[in-house]
């Protein structure tokens, strides 16, 4: 049974679960935000789409042997997860230059990177999620170098699996953001969500943008695009 509201973020609410100390309920909201909340809009049905898309992606990764917080979906907009202490690190993996990388390094959007790049950002709305290195992460959060090495290795592994999964549904995985959390036994698992809100996905043939950039840059209807992704995932992943 759903307990009290523990936390409300931009895209999700987190509830406790009565009688289950180490489990939580995530409820996905219909809101879309961009540019650290400066742009926001409600899209009816978005919460359902991200809940179900993320559930498919996490199920795929679980099957591939990646430890995650995901247990099961509970409804169209809710999922049951293991309780984890989120490490305030946004782990971005890039295969192709886009977004902030093009601006920071002067690269043209769409430039293939010679090898995938893992970047760390400090998860802080007040500071606009600044780019940080390992030393900053060790200073700012409860992690040591072996935790960071573990997170980087997991991020590369997840990237390999997701590239295969998205290519099966004719999408190129340009970049994406991961979050990790610590379970009560101290182990680190993949947490949060993986959805078109947290990934850049381009159509394999046409490079059509199939992710939150359609909202960020007013390109196409977000719900129509996310529906296409869910339909394609449903054809290849069983939840
Ligand atoms: O903005 P930037 O190019 O650094 O984003 C890289 C990737 O990380 C994109 O797929 C973006 O959707 C994701 N991201 C995110 N949440 C953030 C920042 C970036 O999901 N706070």
């Amino acid at each position: 049974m759903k307990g009290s509201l523990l936390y409300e973020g931009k895209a999700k609410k987190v509830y406790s679960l009565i009688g289950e100390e180490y489990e939580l309920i995530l409820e996905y909201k219909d809101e879309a935000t961009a540019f650290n909340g400066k742009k926001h809009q409600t899209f009816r049905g978005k919460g359902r789409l991200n809940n179900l898309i993320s559930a498919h992606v996490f199920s795929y990764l679980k099957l591939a042997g990646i430890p995650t917080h995901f247990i099961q979906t509970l409804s169209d907009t809710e999922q049951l997860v293991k309780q984890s202490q989120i490490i305030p690190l946004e782990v971005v993996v890039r295969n192709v230059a886009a977004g902030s990388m093009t601006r920071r390094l002067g690269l043209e959007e769409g430039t293939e990177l010679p090898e995938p790049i893992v970047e760390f950002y400090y998860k802080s709305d007040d500071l606009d999620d600044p780019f940080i290195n390992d030393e900053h992460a060790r200073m700012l959060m409860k992690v040591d170098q072996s935790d960071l090495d573990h997170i980087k290795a997991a991020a590369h592994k997840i990237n390999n699996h997701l590239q295969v999964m998205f290519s099966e549904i004719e999408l190129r995985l340009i970049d994406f953001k991961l979050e990790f959390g610590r379970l009560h036994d101290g182990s680190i698992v993949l947490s949060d969500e993986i959805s078109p809100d947290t990934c850049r996905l381009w159509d394999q043939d046409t490079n059509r943008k199939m992710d939150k950039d359609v909202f960020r840059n007013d390109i196409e209807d977000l719900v129509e695009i996310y529906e296409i992704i869910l339909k394609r995932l449903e054809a290849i992943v069983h939840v």
Side-chain angles (χ1 to χ4, degrees):
M1 218 193 5
K2 209 164 172 173
S4 52
L5 177 67
L6 301 176
Y7 171 78
E8 177 161 2
K10 292 193 279 271
K12 292 186 285 296
K13 292 179 183 173
V14 182
Y15 291 90
S16 63
L17 194 66
I18 293 166
E20 291 291 348
E21 198 183 344
Y22 298 125
E23 294 180 5
L24 298 171
I25 295 174
L26 300 187
E27 184 187 307
Y28 284 70
K29 307 200 291 188
D30 278 344
E31 256 118 278
T33 62
F35 313 118
N36 196 13
K38 285 176 205 84
K39 177 171 180 171
H40 49 91
Q41 197 176 325
T42 301
F43 291 93
R44 193 207 271 263
K46 174 177 178 285
R48 170 185 165 268
L49 289 164
N50 274 0
N51 179 41
L52 299 182
I53 290 170
S54 195
H56 280 78
V57 176
F58 273 75
S59 298
Y60 183 93
L61 291 173
K62 244 172 113 169
L63 211 63
I66 303 289
T68 86
H69 73 156
F70 179 74
I71 301 174
Q72 63 178 89
T73 52
L74 296 173
S75 72
D76 270 1
T77 55
E78 294 164 309
Q79 56 182 251
L80 185 65
V81 299
K82 293 179 194 162
Q83 188 223 32
S84 69
Q85 198 74 44
I86 294 286
I87 298 165
L89 194 61
E90 302 212 329
V91 180
V92 169
V93 184
R94 301 181 187 272
N95 297 307
V96 175
S100 68
M101 185 189 215
T102 57
R103 296 190 290 275
R104 188 166 354 96
L105 301 181
L107 296 171
E108 201 180 322
E109 183 183 75
T111 308
E112 285 276 354
L113 303 178
E115 57 186 349
I117 291 179
V118 175
E119 298 174 344
F120 289 155
Y121 295 82
Y122 180 32
K123 189 172 153 71
S124 162
D125 284 343
D126 290 346
L127 300 173
D128 260 349
D129 301 339
F131 188 46
I132 59 168
N133 65 20
D134 292 28
E135 285 87 348
H136 295 124
R138 296 204 307 265
M139 176 186 72
L140 290 166
M141 48 201 87
K142 288 182 198 140
V143 289
D144 61 21
Q145 194 56 44
S146 74
D147 295 329
L148 295 174
D149 292 344
H150 171 81
I151 287 171
K152 280 184 213 172
H156 280 291
K157 244 192 225 170
I158 292 164
N159 184 41
N160 292 338
H161 290 302
L162 292 185
Q163 280 187 306
V164 172
M165 188 196 75
F166 282 118
S167 76
E168 280 178 43
I169 59 167
E170 276 139 45
L171 294 171
R172 286 172 77 197
L173 179 59
I174 303 303
D175 59 32
F176 58 100
K177 184 263 303 179
L178 303 172
E179 293 185 25
F180 292 84
R182 215 181 272 282
L183 299 182
H184 66 96
D185 66 4
S187 62
I188 291 175
V189 298
L190 178 65
S191 296
D192 196 53
E193 69 175 285
I194 301 180
S195 72
D197 271 11
T198 64
C199 300
R200 284 198 174 89
L201 301 165
W202 295 357
D203 182 276
Q204 222 162 46
D205 299 324
T206 63
N207 281 339
R208 178 188 184 192
K209 292 189 164 116
M210 310 277 289
D211 56 60
K212 198 162 82 172
D213 273 350
V214 300
F215 163 68
R216 290 190 188 100
N217 305 322
D218 300 312
I219 302 172
E220 277 191 70
D221 183 67
L222 176 146
V223 170
E224 277 175 30
I225 296 285
Y226 285 23
E227 282 280 9
I228 296 172
I229 294 187
L230 176 59
K231 281 220 178 77
R232 291 191 194 175
L233 280 175
E234 281 172 344
I236 63 154
V237 185
H238 181 70
V239 173

